[in-house]
Amino acid sequence: MSAMSAIGIVYFGSILASIGNINDGYRFVKLAKNIVQRFGYKDVAGEVLFMSTHTIGYVEPIQSTLECYLEGYTAALEAGDTTSACLNLLSYCNNLFWSGTSLGYTKNKYDELAHFTKKHNLTSLEFVIRNNMVEKLFEMGDVNRTPVSDGLHEDILRIKNPFSAKMFHISNAMIAFMNRDIDNTLTSMEKYFDFDLEMWILLNFIAAIRFFIGLISFWVYRRTNDRKWYERGSQSKEAMRKWAESSKWNCLQKFILLEAEDHFCNKRYERAKESYDDAIMFSRQHKFINDEAIACELAGYFLFEVGETASSIDYIIQAHEKYHKWGAIGKASVMFQYFQSISTVKLPVGIEPPVSREFSSGNRNSSMTTLKARQKAQT
């Protein structure tokens, strides 16, 4: 048994997981990790921990992977392997984001990662380490600005890194989707699908990206009635179903939310309501405040579109609370603006939307007072 044995085993396990054999892949990556720890193969420890933890995250709670990536980062630094150190730190930051860790803390860690990358001249990873969703969800100000500068896009083309380019387009698509910007969503998604490139090495990206592809695809289908988008959404839902079988903690609420969007597309409204509520419940139980926020948001949009405005407002307020608690200040502002737009609709006599503590705090207090007065006058 040698250090190269651990490397071979961990890559083999990762490939097994990437083609759908998650349980066997998990066994092999755990074996590789144990070999490194038992025999003290420090030179490859960073790389093995980096690769193994991707697959482990498809079985164990994603929150538990954070310590593994930090362990890999430390081991790689001690061995002088700055590339593996950077990749472990990148994965740590990504999983902070996808696990719903406070965006303020997550943003600081991404900043530290960017500093590490520049210090060690790892320019090929410069775009990959940027998580523009963190910036857009966290920042105050104009949430509808172009997600990424043209200059950065030119840099991607200059370094000719197709993985970075593909991540660039899906990042833009997710941001546009969160802004409910159909045109930019479509443009970025079509560019994303132009890349025939599998990303099996970074397994921890795939489930999160698939989740958003599904949400985006079902939404675009309802807006365009283009069947190819429904098929893309269905494919993402089925992939998430499989991942939920191996890790209910990480993926069950995502699968159920995709199922709710599918029901919405097919006008199965009662089943959609149940699925939205289940997605919210499991997100809360599994401690994914980010998933809970988007589930509340999409439930609110659904209820408004089917004519249940009063119920919609309740879910939109819940979405605002969750985004605000997560630290997504910019996104919380979008929810407040949407609340303003739909709360001007005349409601049945005696019905008034609830007002959350966050909505009525700080500089939003006067706005909420005005909205309440307007609704009372309408009724």
Side-chain angles (χ1 to χ4, degrees), residues 18 27 36 44 78 130 151 161 179 239 254 265 279 326 357:
S18 73
R27 289 194 301 107
V36 166
V44 300
E78 290 177 352
R130 289 185 52 152
N161 186 329
N179 285 330
K254 293 179 176 65
C265 289
W326 183 27
R357 180 162 41 84

Side-chain angles (χ1 to χ4, degrees), residues 313 316-321 324 332 335-337 339-340 354-368 371:
I313 288 172
I316 293 300
I317 289 175
Q318 290 182 58
H320 176 278
E321 291 177 343
H324 192 279
M335 290 290 90
F336 178 72
Q337 292 163 17
F339 173 88
Q340 288 180 308
V355 180
S356 75
R357 180 162 41 84
E358 284 84 1
F359 260 106
S360 58
S361 65
N363 60 8
R364 294 189 173 89
N365 187 54
S366 60
S367 298
M368 287 304 304
L371 285 171

Side-chain angles (χ1 to χ4, degrees), residues 6 17 23 30 38 41 45 152 180 221 227 236 249 251 277 290 302 330 351 365 371:
N23 289 333
K30 291 283 282 187
R38 179 178 178 183
Y41 295 136
L152 180 57
R180 311 304 279 178
Y221 169 69
R227 191 70 186 176
S236 293
W249 184 274
C251 297
D277 283 339
N290 48 338
F302 158 72
I351 294 181
N365 187 54
L371 285 171

Side-chain angles (χ1 to χ4, degrees), residues 119-180:
K119 178 181 177 181
H120 294 282
N121 197 32
L122 297 168
T123 55
S124 63
L125 294 172
E126 186 174 354
F127 176 75
V128 180
I129 62 96
R130 289 185 52 152
N131 189 323
N132 296 289
M133 285 192 72
V134 173
E135 297 291 338
K136 297 300 292 185
L137 292 168
F138 180 79
E139 69 185 5
M140 298 290 288
D142 183 6
V143 296
N144 293 309
R145 287 190 295 110
T146 302
V148 184
S149 71
D150 289 337
L152 180 57
H153 191 187
E154 291 171 1
D155 286 344
I156 294 170
L157 296 177
R158 175 175 55 79
I159 64 176
K160 299 184 184 301
N161 186 329
F163 173 75
S164 293
K166 189 166 185 174
M167 289 301 298
F168 170 87
H169 294 306
I170 193 61
S171 176
N172 278 0
M174 289 189 290
I175 294 167
F177 169 71
M178 295 297 281
N179 285 330
R180 311 304 279 178

Side-chain angles (χ1 to χ4, degrees), residues 80-120:
D81 182 358
T82 55
T83 298
S84 291
C86 183
L87 290 172
N88 274 288
L89 197 54
L90 165 64
S91 299
Y92 171 73
C93 291
N94 286 336
N95 280 12
L96 284 175
F97 177 72
W98 295 115
S99 65
T101 302
S102 164
L103 280 183
Y105 179 82
T106 302
K107 182 177 181 296
N108 289 337
K109 292 303 175 183
Y110 272 110
D111 290 344
E112 291 176 15
L113 173 59
H115 176 74
F116 180 89
T117 304
K118 290 178 180 178
K119 178 181 177 181
H120 294 282

Side-chain angles (χ1 to χ4, degrees), residues 166-231:
K166 189 166 185 174
M167 289 301 298
F168 170 87
H169 294 306
I170 193 61
S171 176
N172 278 0
M174 289 189 290
I175 294 167
F177 169 71
M178 295 297 281
N179 285 330
R180 311 304 279 178
D181 180 348
I182 187 67
D183 292 334
N184 282 328
T185 300
L186 277 168
T187 298
S188 296
M189 286 298 290
E190 292 293 7
K191 290 179 178 178
Y192 171 81
F193 283 116
D194 281 344
F195 285 87
D196 185 16
L197 175 69
E198 293 296 328
M199 298 185 292
W200 66 269
I201 292 178
L202 295 181
L203 274 173
N204 66 337
F205 283 153
I206 295 176
I209 289 173
R210 269 289 195 174
F211 176 51
F212 268 89
I213 289 174
L215 295 179
I216 290 169
S217 297
F218 285 132
W219 176 56
V220 171
Y221 169 69
R222 292 195 299 271
R223 295 293 300 272
T224 65
N225 206 33
D226 185 339
R227 191 70 186 176
K228 75 179 180 184
W229 290 101
Y230 180 77
E231 296 302 326

Side-chain angles (χ1 to χ4, degrees), residues 252-254 256-257 260 273-289 291-300 303 314-315 318-319 322:
L252 181 59
Q253 64 275 1
K254 293 179 176 65
I256 294 174
L257 184 55
K273 288 180 186 179
E274 294 175 1
S275 293
Y276 283 119
D277 283 339
D278 285 346
I280 293 167
M281 177 187 69
F282 282 113
S283 296
R284 185 177 300 128
Q285 288 181 0
H286 297 168
K287 306 184 188 304
F288 287 89
I289 195 171
D291 290 349
E292 186 179 355
I294 196 168
C296 290
E297 178 185 1
L298 295 182
L303 288 165
D314 186 28
Y315 283 92
Q318 290 182 58
K322 300 307 175 183

